[in-house]
Amino acid sequence: GENVEQHPSTLSVQEGDSAVIKCTYSDSASNYFPWYKQELGKRPQLIIDIRSNVGEKKDQRIAVTLNKTAKHFSLHITETQPEDSAVYFCAAGTASNFGNEKLTFGTGTRLTIIP
Amino acid sequence: NAGVTQTPKFQVLKTGQSMTLQCAQDMNHEYMSWYRQDPGMGLRLIHYSVGAGITDQGEVPNGYNVSRSTTEDFPLRLLSAAPSQTSVYFCASSYSGTTEAFFGQGTRLTVV
């Protein structure tokens, strides 16, 4: 099955600086790569996703890049703010014609923004 | 429009007891799934369903059963609780396995 590795497990950055979180995946059939943000005591929520036919996607201060050849994808947060402090999860999903699609999550990165 | 509703929010069980975690969604999603979240291990898939009457195992299915008799509901049953099942459980729903997943608020389960 799919295996997703996520690094680093913790990350502290000064407010206003950029943060980068990296993930690798093992299954070349995976074609959907979402990122979820989970604030303390809350449920995970989707912040951005990318499909394998796209190399980069941006949404304001957040961007995701995908390198299918190397099987890795990254989350970039620019101009970080205190409200960016949270745990971030990457995931890889595989679509099939038989309905057995599954999301495999990474182990999470705890991002702390230092004021 | 409530989204995904999980009950209960907190539960304490004794070893060997059984219980059912409830999950309901009102978004007419075909795909529903259960995850457990443990420190340092991310979200691990327990069971999932691609539609009413269809379920399949995820990464960590042992000790759990599911059924999907309706599109809206996807209960998770713990057959004989063990301390290793102490965790936070999340139910999620989506149009498919490769579209945005909407999570419930989670159930914090402690088995003593």
Side-chain angles (χ1 to χ4, degrees):
Chain A
E2 176 64 278
N3 181 48
V4 177
E5 295 190 358
Q6 182 171 349
H7 299 282
S9 57
T10 60
L11 178 62
S12 296
V13 301
Q14 291 290 140
E15 182 178 353
D17 287 351
S18 295
V20 180
I21 302 170
K22 299 182 179 182
C23 289
T24 60
Y25 62 99
S26 61
D27 189 345
S28 57
S30 289
N31 58 9
Y32 174 64
F33 306 94
W35 286 87
Y36 286 81
K37 175 183 181 182
Q38 185 179 29
E39 296 176 352
L40 189 62
K42 301 286 183 65
R43 70 192 79 189
Q45 292 189 297
L46 181 75
I47 55 171
I48 195 167
D49 57 10
I50 192 168
R51 297 191 183 272
S52 58
N53 57 346
V54 175
E56 183 176 2
K57 185 177 179 181
K58 284 185 179 179
D59 183 3
Q60 300 182 344
R61 297 185 297 108
I62 294 172
V64 56
T65 58
L66 171 65
N67 183 326
K68 281 204 70 181
T69 302
K71 295 197 189 76
H72 67 72
F73 56 113
S74 301
L75 177 71
H76 304 253
I77 306 174
T78 59
E79 301 172 12
T80 53
Q81 301 168 4
E83 54 264 36
D84 294 329
S85 292
V87 177
Y88 291 81
F89 292 98
C90 64
T94 308
S96 80
N97 293 329
F98 303 101
N100 57 338
E101 304 163 337
K102 284 189 258 189
L103 271 183
T104 302
F105 283 84
T107 50
T109 297
R110 182 174 299 279
L111 174 64
T112 303
I113 307 302
I114 305 165
Chain B
N1 192 343
V4 181
T5 303
Q6 269 183 254
T7 55
K9 196 168 183 180
F10 300 96
Q11 182 71 48
V12 179
L13 286 180
K14 292 183 179 178
T15 297
Q17 286 185 318
S18 62
M19 79 160 294
T20 300
L21 307 184
Q22 301 292 343
C23 177
Q25 54 95 5
D26 61 0
M27 296 176 281
N28 203 31
H29 287 160
E30 290 293 329
Y31 193 98
M32 295 186 75
S33 50
W34 276 101
Y35 294 89
R36 59 177 289 174
Q37 184 174 27
D38 302 292
M41 302 192 75
L43 293 154
R44 291 184 292 168
L45 182 65
I46 304 171
H47 286 286
Y48 66 103
S49 168
V50 299
I54 306 169
T55 63
D56 204 352
Q57 296 181 351
E59 182 185 353
V60 288
N62 292 340
Y64 309 94
N65 273 357
V66 292
S67 60
R68 184 93 179 272
S69 56
T70 67
T71 299
E72 294 78 19
D73 300 297
F74 191 43
L76 177 73
R77 280 183 288 278
L78 279 71
L79 309 172
S80 177
S84 60
Q85 293 179 304
T86 294
S87 187
V88 179
Y89 291 85
F90 285 99
C91 175
S93 78
S94 54
Y95 285 112
S96 76
T98 52
T99 56
E100 179 178 3
F102 294 86
F103 286 83
Q105 75 269 37
T107 297
R108 183 173 294 276
L109 175 68
T110 302
V111 183
V112 297

